[in-house]
Amino acid sequence: LVSIVVAACCGTYLQRMWGLYGLVATELILLATALLTAFAHKTPLKDVFPVKPISAGEATGLIFFILGGYLMNIVLLGISLRLISSASGETSYISAFMSGYDPVLLTVSAAVLPALCEEALERGAVMKHFRSIKRDWVIVIIMGLFFGLFHLSPGRFLNTACLGALLTYMMLKKDNILYPVIFHFANNLISILPSLFCPGDAVSE
């Protein structure tokens, strides 16, 4: 709940005032929130943000998972565009918001930082508090809904919620935050590629 309030109050204001620079500030605030949450609960960082090596075989599987997840994202966004009247306006706003920036800044602010900071908060600090729930599918649903609400976008709720559920599933199965971080980065990077080469056509999560 704290992270949603932070994103709604601070993040929205910062992004309206400073554009992508405001997005960078928002992501850093989310990372600070994740770290402060861990410190407040006196939880070792290695338990909140577990990192383990990824083998070549696992990396190959992750690539296919990323491609499948991105296709799912496209299908669900398409469904949202048909069912929710505000969806097309939201995606157009995001595309316009990301246009006209240096490609390096766009990549860092829309792909690198969301993958690191949002996953540190959601699959790290927030999800840690749900680990006591014995049924994984309950955690997947809760975190999926949280991720969807976190983006404050009714038109993209369906695809962001499902993406959050998928990221949570990966974290539960592997107990390695590198999996959702890499997946999140790749998903956003693919989404902003049009804006990197043809400014004005990107939608990141």
Side-chain angles (χ1 to χ4, degrees):
L1 292 178
V2 172
S3 61
I4 291 178
V5 172
V6 169
C9 298
C10 298
T12 302
Y13 174 77
L14 291 172
Q15 290 168 48
R16 284 179 178 173
M17 289 293 293
W18 299 335
L20 278 191
Y21 296 101
L23 179 58
V24 170
T26 300
E27 295 297 341
L28 294 178
I29 289 172
L30 295 177
L31 178 60
T33 303
L35 294 172
L36 288 173
T37 300
F39 291 140
H41 289 86
K42 299 180 180 180
T43 308
L45 294 183
K46 63 181 180 64
D47 293 337
V48 181
F49 317 115
V51 175
K52 303 171 185 177
I54 297 177
S55 69
E58 290 172 328
T60 302
L62 180 57
I63 290 172
F64 284 104
F65 215 67
I66 289 169
L67 295 175
Y70 189 72
L71 289 175
M72 176 199 74
N73 185 41
I74 292 175
V75 170
L76 293 175
L77 183 58
I79 293 173
S80 296
L81 288 171
R82 285 185 171 274
L83 298 180
I84 303 174
S85 59
S86 65
S88 59
E90 290 177 27
T91 54
S92 296
Y93 170 79
I94 294 170
S95 295
F97 175 81
M98 293 186 175
S99 64
Y101 287 98
D102 175 77
V104 174
L105 173 61
L106 180 57
T107 302
V108 170
S109 61
V112 176
L113 287 180
L116 292 173
C117 302
E118 292 177 20
E119 291 311 310
L121 177 65
E122 304 223 9
R123 252 55 61 184
V126 173
M127 185 173 156
K128 182 68 178 177
H129 296 289
F130 294 107
R131 286 302 186 101
S132 59
I133 297 176
K134 301 303 180 182
R135 298 181 184 277
D136 285 354
W137 65 269
V138 176
I139 302 176
V140 168
I141 291 175
I142 291 173
M143 292 303 301
L145 292 174
F146 184 85
F147 196 66
L149 292 171
F150 171 82
H151 283 83
L152 305 173
S153 174
R156 295 189 301 136
F157 175 79
L158 180 59
N159 63 302
T160 51
C162 289
L163 179 63
L166 189 57
L167 292 167
T168 300
Y169 175 81
M170 296 174 70
M171 186 65 179
L172 286 170
K173 293 302 178 183
K174 294 296 184 179
D175 193 33
N176 184 353
I177 203 166
L178 288 180
Y179 278 86
V181 165
I182 293 172
F183 187 111
H184 198 151
F185 167 75
N187 179 79
N188 282 22
L189 181 63
I190 295 171
S191 297
I192 66 172
L193 284 178
S195 279
L196 292 176
F197 297 103
C198 303
D201 297 313
V203 179
S204 65
E205 311 306 344

